[in-house]
Amino acid sequence: MSEPRPLLPFAAPVIEPAGTGQSFPPLVRRPTSARQGTRLTPQFGILREAFHAQRAHVGVAAGSPTAELVAVFDLAGTVTDFVKACRRVEGFEFLADLADEEVEGDDDFYVEKRGQRTDDRVPQTLYLVMTNAQAVNQLTSLFTSWQADPSVSFPRGLGPLKQVFALLRSIRRWGPEDRVRET
């Protein structure tokens, strides 16, 4: 028997009339692949270690060979084919995307108009994915390849992950801050 999965509170869906809002998304400037590597490599390491520790805990408690946990991809913006790319990574199960409130820009992600940095807020999307240690290892390997060469070719269907890596603000396990986000 596997461990119970964490509760995931979702907000009620919102339907907006057509033609409202911007006709195109704001131009979000993002850091280089080298900067992303500096920022995110430790987060990938923490996530990988958390999965290995959870797998060891579940293995001792329940004899389960793989521990499944929810990973949160916090992006500055959205990625069109994220769900399709998730289906291509063995061990990933897409759960939801949450268009979160916009956040203040920072030195890594900010909105630019007419070549000038603005004080506009940066759109944020959280993607929730049920995953296991094997999938996290594959994701880490793809990230390392992308960091070394952003023009690297990924296997068919995984191309959207390059955009995910470029827009990734953080990657982490589902935690208490996520449980109370919608309350």
Side-chain angles (χ1 to χ4, degrees):
M1 187 163 134
S2 65
E3 284 282 312
R5 294 181 177 177
L7 295 177
L8 304 174
F10 297 111
V14 176
I15 299 174
E16 295 182 8
T20 62
Q22 291 182 315
S23 59
F24 56 89
L27 177 60
V28 176
R29 286 294 175 191
R30 50 191 173 219
T32 64
S33 60
R35 173 71 180 136
Q36 286 291 74
T38 301
R39 291 178 56 254
L40 298 171
T41 298
Q43 292 179 29
F44 275 102
I46 290 168
L47 186 66
R48 192 170 45 230
E49 287 178 22
F51 278 90
H52 289 300
Q54 179 70 12
R55 183 173 58 195
H57 173 73
V58 170
V60 169
S64 175
T66 60
E68 293 182 337
L69 297 172
V70 175
V72 177
F73 292 77
D74 180 349
L75 272 59
T78 60
V79 173
T80 304
D81 291 328
F82 184 84
V83 175
K84 289 180 184 176
C86 281
R87 289 184 195 135
R88 297 285 192 163
V89 177
E90 190 172 331
F92 270 2
E93 178 186 339
F94 178 79
L95 296 175
D97 63 354
L98 305 173
D100 209 7
E101 49 188 70
E102 296 178 335
V103 295
E104 295 290 328
D106 57 25
D107 289 339
D108 291 313
F109 296 95
Y110 56 89
V111 174
E112 187 176 276
K113 291 182 183 171
R114 297 185 189 100
Q116 297 293 318
R117 182 177 177 162
T118 70
D119 290 333
D120 292 357
R121 296 175 64 82
V122 176
Q124 181 180 27
T125 304
L126 301 180
Y127 292 99
L128 308 179
V129 177
M130 182 67 71
T131 187
N132 60 30
Q134 176 185 344
V136 170
N137 288 338
Q138 181 180 359
L139 185 70
T140 302
S141 175
L142 290 168
F143 177 75
T144 301
S145 296
W146 174 82
Q147 179 192 350
D149 179 10
S151 64
V152 67
S153 292
F154 281 0
R156 183 176 171 87
L158 295 179
L161 290 177
K162 293 195 304 186
Q163 189 177 7
V164 168
F165 296 149
L167 294 173
L168 196 59
R169 293 173 64 92
S170 69
I171 184 168
R172 63 183 186 282
R173 286 180 60 186
W174 177 263
E177 71 277 7
D178 298 302
R179 289 183 184 100
V180 298
R181 181 180 306 275
E182 296 296 323
T183 61

